[in-house]
Amino acid sequence: MDFLNTLWLQFLATLPLFLLILLGFLLVKIFKWPKSITDGLTKFTFAIAIPIMLFHIMSHFSEQPKADYRVLFAFFGGTLLVFIFGRIIAAKLFKLDGASATMFSMGGIYSNNVFVGLPIIKALLGDNAVPSVALVVVFSALILWTLATISIEFAQVGKLSTTQIKKAVKNVFKNPVILGIFAGLMVNYIGFPVPNFISQSTKMVGDMAAPLSLIVLGMGIAEYKISQGWRLSSVICLLKLAILPFVIYWLAVLLHLPTLETYVVVLLGSMSIAINCYIMSRQFNLLQGPIASSLLISTILSSVVTPLILAILTHI
C-alpha cells in the first residue's frame, strides 16, 4: 500500500510536466510551428529565464534553512563519480568526442529536483526533509552548470595551449547561466539590499523558466523520433536511475549521514533527468535527440523506480 501511495504521489507530481511537454509537441506536430520558434524559445529560456531564475535563487541563498552540509558531499560526490564513469563509457563504448561525452554524462547525473524531487520528498518524508532538498537544489545549479560549461568549452577548444585555455575560460564566464549564478551569489554575500520591485520582477521571470523549458522539450521531441539514439538513451537512463542512487547511497553510508538525510540524497538521485539538461543539449547543439528521449523515458520510469528505492531503503 505504501508503494502504491508513493506511486500515486509521483504520478500527480509529474502529470503537469507531461501536459506541458504534450502542449509543445502538439504545437509542432498539429499546428506546424516552425523550428525557428523552437530555437527562439530555447534561446530566451537559456539566455534570459534560467539565468534570472538562478540569480533570484542565489541572491536569497543565505535565507535557506540550516541543513547538514555532508548532504552536499554525498550527493555531489556521487554525481562527480558517475560523471567520470559516464565520460569513460561514452568514449570507450560509444566513441563520442569530449563535448558529446560531457553531454552524455550530464544526462546521467542531472536530477529534476525542483519540479519533481521537492514536492515528492516533502510528501513522502515531511517538512523536516525540505532543508536538505533546498541545499542540494541551490548547489545543483552552481555545480552542474559550471561543470558542464567548463567541460564542454575545454573539450571544444581542443589542444590546451595558453591561448585556448584563456578562450575557454572567457567562454565559460560569458555563459548567461554562469553569470546569473555568480551575480546572485555576489549580491547575497555582499549583503546588497535588492529592491522589492527588482526581486519581484526576477521571481516573475524565473517562474517562466520551468514551463517554458517543458514546452520547448515537447517541441524538441516532435523534431526527433523517440527511437533515435536508443542505445545512448538506454545507458543514460541506467546511469541516472540505478547507478547514481547506488553510488550516492554508499557515499552517504561512508559519511555516516543520518537516516533522513540519507533517504533525501538517494531519492533525489533517483529522480528523472532535469529539463535543464535538455536546454543544455540544445544550447551546445549536442545529443539533442538522445537527451530528449532520455528525459521523457526517465520521467516515466522514475515513477516506479523512486518508490521502489524508498521501499528498499526502508527495509535496509
Side-chain angles (χ1 to χ4, degrees), residues 138-198:
V138 168
F139 277 92
S140 286
L142 173 63
I143 293 172
L144 298 182
W145 272 99
T146 304
L147 173 64
T149 305
I150 291 174
S151 183
I152 289 171
E153 290 294 349
F154 274 87
Q156 289 179 338
V157 298
K159 186 178 179 181
L160 292 182
S161 63
T162 303
T163 303
Q164 296 289 9
I165 291 174
K166 289 180 179 178
K167 180 181 177 181
V169 171
K170 183 179 178 181
N171 288 340
V172 168
F173 285 98
K174 285 169 60 179
N175 185 292
V177 173
I178 303 301
L179 290 175
I181 290 170
F182 283 103
L185 284 173
M186 190 177 300
V187 167
N188 178 77
Y189 284 108
I190 290 175
F192 180 79
V194 180
N196 187 57
F197 71 92
I198 293 180

Side-chain angles (χ1 to χ4, degrees), residues 100-112:
S100 295
T102 294
M103 198 67 253
F104 174 90
S105 299
M106 291 307 299
I109 65 172
Y110 209 146
S111 297
N112 194 346

Side-chain angles (χ1 to χ4, degrees), residues 65-73 131-132 135 255-258 261:
K66 299 295 182 183
D68 190 331
Y69 276 81
R70 287 178 296 174
V71 163
L72 295 177
F73 291 99
S132 296
L135 193 64
L255 290 167
H256 303 291
L257 270 185
E261 283 74 8

Side-chain angles (χ1 to χ4, degrees), residues 45-103:
T45 305
F46 176 79
I48 304 296
I50 289 177
I52 289 178
M53 176 190 71
L54 295 173
F55 171 83
H56 182 80
I57 292 172
M58 293 302 178
S59 63
H60 293 81
F61 176 69
S62 60
E63 301 170 14
Q64 296 294 328
K66 299 295 182 183
D68 190 331
Y69 276 81
R70 287 178 296 174
V71 163
L72 295 177
F73 291 99
F75 186 83
F76 292 107
T79 58
L80 181 59
L81 290 173
V82 175
F83 176 81
I84 295 169
F85 182 56
R87 284 290 304 263
I88 294 171
I89 290 177
K92 300 296 184 183
L93 185 60
F94 297 110
K95 310 300 181 186
L96 297 179
D97 59 41
S100 295
T102 294
M103 198 67 253

Side-chain angles (χ1 to χ4, degrees), residues 83 86-87 89-91 94-108 152 156 217 220-221 223-237 239 273-296:
F83 176 81
R87 284 290 304 263
I89 290 177
F94 297 110
K95 310 300 181 186
L96 297 179
D97 59 41
S100 295
T102 294
M103 198 67 253
F104 174 90
S105 299
M106 291 307 299
I152 289 171
Q156 289 179 338
L217 170 63
I221 289 173
E223 299 172 1
Y224 308 101
K225 295 180 180 178
I226 294 297
S227 59
Q228 183 178 349
W230 68 269
R231 292 176 66 239
L232 289 172
S233 299
S234 299
V235 178
I236 288 172
C237 290
L239 287 171
I273 298 170
I275 183 62
N276 282 348
C277 196
Y278 177 69
I279 297 299
M280 272 185 200
S281 72
R282 286 196 71 95
Q283 179 62 27
F284 293 110
N285 195 27
L286 297 166
L287 302 184
Q288 295 178 42
I291 293 295
S293 299
S294 300
L295 199 156
L296 190 61

Side-chain angles (χ1 to χ4, degrees), residues 262-281:
T262 299
Y263 281 19
V264 169
V265 292
V266 175
L267 292 180
L268 287 177
S270 74
M271 296 296 161
S272 58
I273 298 170
I275 183 62
N276 282 348
C277 196
Y278 177 69
I279 297 299
M280 272 185 200
S281 72

